[in-house]
Amino acid sequence: MVSRKVLIHSIVFAPDAVSTAYLYNDIAYNLKKNGFEVEVLSTMPHYNKVDQSKTKFQKKFLGLYYTSNYKGIKVYHVPQKKYESVLLRGFIMIYWHLLSFFLGMRIKNVDVIISPSPPLTIALVSIALAKLKKAKFIYNVQEIYPDFFVNQGKMKSQFVLRILKKLERFVYKHSDSLVTIDQNFKNTLIPRMDHPEKIEIIANFVDTELYYPIEYPEVNKQIFPANENLKVMYAGNIGFAQDWVPLIEVAKKTIGMPITYFVIGDGACRSWLKSEIEKYKLDNINLIDYQERKSIPHIINYADLHFIFMNKKLEKDGLPSKVYTIMACKKPLLVISNKNTPLYDLLENTGAAYLIENLSNNVNEELFLILQQALHNKDELREMGEKGFDLVQKEYTKEKVTEKYFKHISNLINS
């Protein structure tokens, strides 16, 4: 069999500590194991604090870019930083796009290029590279843009919005395939496409070698005390995609009860959350910095119940990947979301989660009653955890999902 080459073009990749990076690390490795040549165009780690000492970076052209090796896969890293200034963020993004294009042109004999969103603009570079190299292009829609900007309330200019919508249609038109994560996303994309048959649904997955049930988790007892309290947890980005008001309200209502809330991570809403905790003296909420990835499985297993409270303006635009890791650890979920959203549809009728509809007039009351129920019925929590675990093993393991990517890419090459 003639070896085929896949170029992964992603704004994040190992060793960056973010869900899309973990996803594409595993996709890249699976493709390599199945006989593909794989190279990656990405950035230097910049999303979360990571230990870069474990990755050997080779400086190229006085630091214009770097290279590394991920399990035998060559990775090109363009320097990126987080800036407060919109102007600087724009400049560094343009720099990343231009340099990744020229680096991509140097990579020979590419058959398929695959890029995940965000950002939407990454697809322009990938499309240009694919056309010039006579390769196929797969756009992996992890979040739908510009919808995400609009629903966040960040899109004030109608002129810019019109440009982004034209860009979105251009990307869909010139992609050979669109891979998206669920039927809701597909339904949203169909009216925007001339050829909706190009859409393929491939769900995200969890690494069950890393995330699994641990009967006696090893955690820092000063941060995660050993007691009989009901331990309710959120670990991840503390951003706008979640609604943090219900947490504050239910924490106020459950002060004095044996319930402790843990919020682990960082993000745009962390400072607001911290100020609310201090304002209402909510010593039942522990706000904790990001923890090392290797400790996260133990931390997930430490909790009794994991919550995801979706922002109703943004809940149709993405699916938190943490839902899979939680279920893989046999832990139940407490979710606020609406029907016909990716998260609700994934969990409905599974028995793995308590589901509260976001549009309900009694969200806070329902939330309080569920926590009261969970506090006195931990056997039910264990049963819910078992159901989520079985679902992951059946549908969402790394092996099952990366195999779907392999088959899809193989079929696209041969079409």
Side-chain angles (χ1 to χ4, degrees):
M1 179 179 124
V2 178
S3 181
R4 300 289 195 167
K5 182 180 281 188
V6 176
L7 174 60
I8 292 174
H9 183 203
S10 171
I11 200 165
V12 288
F13 196 78
D16 222 330
V18 66
S19 58
T20 302
Y22 300 142
L23 173 71
Y24 270 84
N25 299 347
D26 290 329
I27 290 172
Y29 185 58
N30 176 269
L31 293 173
K32 182 177 181 294
K33 283 198 304 181
N34 279 283
F36 282 109
E37 289 184 56
V38 182
E39 294 192 34
V40 179
L41 271 176
S42 191
T43 61
M44 288 294 284
H46 64 286
Y47 265 79
N48 296 324
K49 295 176 182 177
V50 297
D51 182 2
Q52 297 188 28
S53 64
K54 296 177 183 177
T55 302
K56 187 176 180 181
F57 294 101
Q58 297 284 339
K59 184 187 289 189
K60 301 292 182 179
F61 292 100
L62 301 176
L64 192 65
Y65 70 96
Y66 295 75
T67 61
S68 71
N69 185 293
Y70 176 77
K71 297 183 178 180
I73 296 165
K74 187 171 185 178
V75 185
Y76 299 84
H77 301 272
V78 177
Q80 285 274 287
K81 289 184 179 179
K82 284 183 175 180
Y83 289 106
E84 293 295 325
S85 164
V86 174
L87 187 64
L88 285 174
R89 285 205 303 268
F91 172 79
I92 202 72
M93 185 60 70
I94 292 169
Y95 172 73
W96 140 250
H97 283 327
L98 288 174
L99 191 51
S100 63
F101 173 77
F102 288 113
L103 290 172
M105 286 300 297
R106 298 180 61 199
I107 300 172
K108 306 297 183 185
N109 304 317
V110 174
D111 296 286
V112 173
I113 300 172
I114 180 168
S115 297
S117 67
L120 180 62
T121 50
I122 197 174
L124 290 181
V125 177
S126 294
I127 288 168
L129 289 170
K131 298 293 184 187
L132 291 167
K133 292 176 177 293
K134 295 182 172 56
K136 299 291 180 69
F137 171 56
I138 299 172
Y139 187 49
N140 182 200
V141 184
Q142 292 286 322
E143 294 173 351
I144 299 177
Y145 285 81
D147 301 40
F148 193 79
F149 283 138
V150 173
N151 294 332
Q152 271 191 316
K154 291 184 175 181
M155 184 53 61
K156 307 298 183 184
S157 169
Q158 289 301 309
F159 173 72
V160 173
L161 180 59
R162 284 194 297 271
I163 291 173
L164 287 175
K165 285 186 174 180
K166 286 181 180 179
L167 173 59
E168 180 193 22
R169 288 186 178 274
F170 177 88
V171 168
Y172 297 162
K173 181 178 179 179
H174 291 279
S175 300
D176 295 287
S177 169
L178 264 76
V179 172
T180 193
I181 58 176
D182 86 328
Q183 187 64 46
N184 277 291
F185 273 37
K186 182 175 180 176
N187 293 342
T188 301
L189 297 175
I190 284 173
R192 307 179 188 188
M193 298 184 64
D194 296 330
H195 298 283
E197 68 275 7
K198 294 193 297 186
I199 303 173
E200 180 84 6
I201 298 175
I202 303 179
N204 288 342
F205 59 85
V206 58
D207 184 349
T208 50
E209 294 176 7
L210 177 64
Y211 297 100
Y212 56 90
I214 302 172
E215 188 173 359
Y216 301 107
E218 297 176 7
V219 294
N220 183 334
K221 294 295 196 297
Q222 291 183 324
I223 303 175
F224 305 103
N227 57 41
E228 294 302 312
N229 283 13
L230 179 70
K231 302 167 184 68
V232 185
M233 181 178 290
Y234 173 91
N237 183 53
I238 307 173
F240 294 108
Q242 291 79 39
D243 183 0
W244 299 102
V245 173
L247 171 64
I248 296 299
E249 293 304 313
V250 79
K252 287 194 285 187
K253 199 164 186 176
T254 54
I255 282 181
M257 295 174 64
I259 301 176
T260 307
Y261 306 92
F262 299 86
V263 180
I264 304 166
D266 200 356
C269 295
R270 193 182 200 275
S271 58
W272 178 88
L273 187 58
K274 185 173 186 290
S275 68
E276 291 293 291
I277 291 169
E278 292 170 352
K279 177 181 177 181
Y280 295 107
K281 297 181 173 57
L282 299 174
D283 58 4
N284 53 351
I285 301 180
N286 296 322
L287 190 56
I288 301 165
D289 290 337
Y290 271 117
Q291 303 295 296
E292 289 187 17
R293 192 189 186 205
K294 65 181 181 181
S295 69
I296 294 298
H298 290 267
I299 292 169
I300 291 174
N301 277 279
Y302 165 81
D304 299 302
L305 183 62
H306 292 261
F307 70 90
I308 304 175
F309 301 160
M310 297 299 293
N311 182 333
K312 56 189 171 185
K313 293 181 180 179
L314 302 174
E315 60 187 354
K316 291 186 177 181
D317 301 328
L319 174 64
S321 59
K322 66 177 61 62
V323 66
Y324 301 111
T325 62
I326 292 164
M327 291 193 294
C329 293
K330 280 192 183 179
K331 293 297 175 177
L333 292 117
L334 171 56
V335 169
I336 299 176
S337 186
N338 282 318
K339 290 185 176 181
N340 300 317
T341 59
L343 183 58
Y344 198 102
D345 286 358
L346 173 68
L347 295 170
E348 190 176 19
N349 301 322
T350 64
Y354 297 111
L355 294 171
I356 301 173
E357 289 193 54
N358 223 338
L359 295 177
S360 168
N361 293 324
N362 300 308
V363 168
N364 294 332
E365 185 60 31
E366 288 182 52
L367 187 55
F368 174 74
L369 292 174
I370 286 172
L371 288 172
Q372 205 173 34
Q373 176 184 338
L375 181 62
H376 300 294
N377 194 353
K378 291 190 178 179
D379 285 341
E380 181 180 53
L381 296 182
R382 282 187 282 273
E383 290 170 9
M384 293 169 67
E386 291 278 358
K387 290 175 182 176
F389 179 80
D390 291 343
L391 178 63
V392 163
Q393 297 301 315
K394 183 180 177 183
E395 300 284 347
Y396 303 112
T397 65
K398 174 177 65 176
E399 293 75 18
K400 285 185 168 64
V401 177
T402 54
E403 182 65 23
K404 291 179 182 178
Y405 272 97
F406 168 72
K407 288 180 179 177
H408 181 64
I409 291 170
S410 298
N411 291 336
L412 189 63
I413 289 174
N414 296 324
S415 64

